[in-house]
Amino acid sequence: KLSNGLPSSQQVNLTVNITNSTGYVVNTSTIQNINIPANSDYYENISNINTTLWNQDLYQITAQISNSVSHTRIEDLVFKNKTLLL
């Protein structure tokens, strides 16, 4: 979710990096020229991230928007394998 509390629309670029616990970037997604209308929220999905080679780990998601200034948000992602016992 991208929010614009300004009275004019804003055009931004979005970059999302996912990094494992050793600092290796396992995924980078970039979307350019997103137009966020004035005083509104904008939702952007990033999908089709291939996780088949990921290990169980604590990953860090870093989302950065940039135009004339940059804003960054960081969240943790715990990635675990699930086992089904019958």
Side-chain angles (χ1 to χ4, degrees):
K1 174 178 150 181
L2 305 173
S3 296
N4 178 13
L6 300 173
S8 60
S9 65
Q10 298 293 308
Q11 187 167 321
V12 300
N13 298 321
L14 171 66
T15 301
V16 177
N17 289 319
I18 303 175
T19 308
N20 67 16
S21 62
T22 64
Y24 179 76
V25 177
V26 296
N27 187 82
T28 298
S29 301
T30 301
I31 303 171
Q32 296 184 335
N33 301 318
I34 300 170
N35 186 47
I36 308 173
N39 298 307
S40 65
D41 295 330
Y42 179 88
Y43 293 88
E44 184 68 53
N45 290 319
I46 296 176
S47 55
N48 298 322
I49 298 174
N50 185 353
T51 62
T52 56
L53 298 177
W54 291 16
N55 296 317
Q56 293 187 93
D57 203 351
L58 175 63
Y59 291 82
Q60 193 172 70
I61 302 171
T62 303
Q64 181 177 40
I65 60 168
S66 58
N67 54 7
S68 59
V69 296
S70 293
H71 299 278
T72 302
R73 180 170 177 164
I74 300 171
E75 296 285 340
D76 288 335
L77 168 67
V78 177
F79 190 82
K80 291 185 178 182
N81 297 330
K82 296 293 181 181
T83 304
L84 176 63
L85 300 176
L86 300 175

